[in-house]
Amino acid sequence: MIIPISIWPAHMMNCFLIKGDNGHILVDTGIPGSADKIIEAIHNAGLDPHDIKLIVVTHSHIDHFGSVAALKKRLKIPVLAHAEDTPFYQKGMANVASMKPTIAWAILFKKMVKDLKTHPFTPDIVMKEGSYSLADWIGGTQVIHTPGHTPGSLSIVLDNGEAIIMDMMAAGIGLGGVLFHSRVKHPAFHDNLSALKKSFDKVLSLDINKFYLGHGKPVNRTQVLKYVD
């Protein structure tokens, strides 16, 4: 079961909790200073934050790993990330080189955020290729490497036909989610569109019908195919 946690209102910035029988998994942590909001959201869902057993960081943009270090220290849990993006986590700064604007306003946005910093951390589990099984906590769940948004971008696939693909795409207007939830689009940045298309081919080869995004409400398979086209 995937529980969305909105860091900003109207699904403009999301992280997710995957509820499992043997512990829960937190996927991304929003911008710096989001730890208390995430803990509160977990309590509001009727769950104990100390039942979280792992943080999965999907990519090296600071709106996704900004509060990892704080939550790692607070909950005393390991972090999983990909080797390609790990140097930026260890610096506490975003992979600015991967922030290639997909729309004009993103050029200014990049200038505003490129020097932002957060507390650094080193992942405890570092993926290098292939996939990583999360079956110890949630049966049939795996993390797969889906580069394109950043070189080390990750997605999480469940065996119930759902997946968290974060910033592989977005939905809605602005940062996503405010209005026109069925409108699919690029997020503000992508690193490599050719690599991204191959990652979509990988994801779409799986039996997934519901896709959770970092910016915007969940979308269905038809909407993903429209975006890829």
Side-chain angles (χ1 to χ4, degrees):
M1 178 181 179
I2 297 175
I3 301 173
I5 299 173
S6 290
I7 302 300
W8 285 356
H11 302 275
M12 286 191 292
M13 182 187 298
N14 302 316
C15 59
F16 299 94
L17 186 76
I18 308 176
K19 184 180 177 183
D21 293 332
N22 299 316
H24 315 315
I25 294 171
L26 181 64
V27 181
D28 286 352
T29 64
I31 56 175
S34 300
D36 286 344
K37 188 166 191 174
I38 291 169
I39 294 294
E40 180 182 6
I42 294 168
H43 279 305
N44 290 341
L47 301 173
D48 185 346
H50 290 93
D51 288 334
I52 298 173
K53 304 302 181 185
L54 178 71
I55 298 173
V56 176
V57 190
T58 63
H59 64 280
S60 55
H61 291 162
I62 204 163
D63 57 327
H64 292 266
F65 75 88
S67 296
V68 170
L71 286 165
K72 174 178 168 62
K73 180 179 180 181
R74 186 165 174 175
L75 300 176
K76 297 178 174 57
I77 53 176
V79 175
L80 182 152
H82 195 275
E84 291 277 1
D85 283 4
T86 290
F88 303 96
Y89 305 138
Q90 293 173 325
K91 296 175 185 175
M93 296 185 70
N95 181 356
V96 176
S98 70
M99 296 171 64
K100 297 170 184 173
T102 62
I103 194 168
W105 65 263
I107 298 172
L108 177 61
F109 187 75
K110 179 178 178 178
K111 291 180 180 179
M112 292 170 57
V113 304
K114 67 181 181 68
D115 294 323
L116 290 179
K117 294 183 179 181
T118 188
H119 295 291
F121 66 93
T122 296
D124 303 277
I125 304 169
V126 180
M127 284 181 58
K128 293 184 178 179
E129 57 184 27
S131 62
Y132 188 90
S133 173
L134 301 178
D136 286 347
W137 304 285
I138 303 171
T141 302
Q142 61 177 339
V143 183
I144 61 174
H145 185 206
T146 49
H149 186 63
T150 68
S153 287
L154 299 173
S155 296
I156 299 87
V157 179
L158 285 69
D159 65 357
N160 65 352
E162 297 182 336
I164 299 170
I165 62 172
M166 278 302 181
D167 287 9
M168 287 179 67
M169 61 181 288
I173 63 170
L175 283 175
V178 180
L179 292 170
F180 304 109
H181 299 133
S182 63
R183 183 184 294 176
V184 296
K185 63 174 188 177
H186 288 310
F189 309 102
H190 275 321
D191 177 53
N192 185 316
L193 289 176
S194 177
L196 183 68
K197 179 67 182 295
K198 292 178 181 177
S199 291
F200 269 112
D201 290 343
K202 180 190 296 187
V203 168
L204 289 167
S205 72
L206 305 173
D207 187 19
I208 303 170
N209 298 299
K210 189 172 185 179
F211 301 79
Y212 290 83
L213 310 177
H215 306 283
K217 286 187 174 182
V219 294
N220 58 39
R221 191 176 185 90
T222 300
Q223 290 170 288
V224 174
L225 288 167
K226 179 181 178 182
Y227 174 73
V228 174
D229 287 342

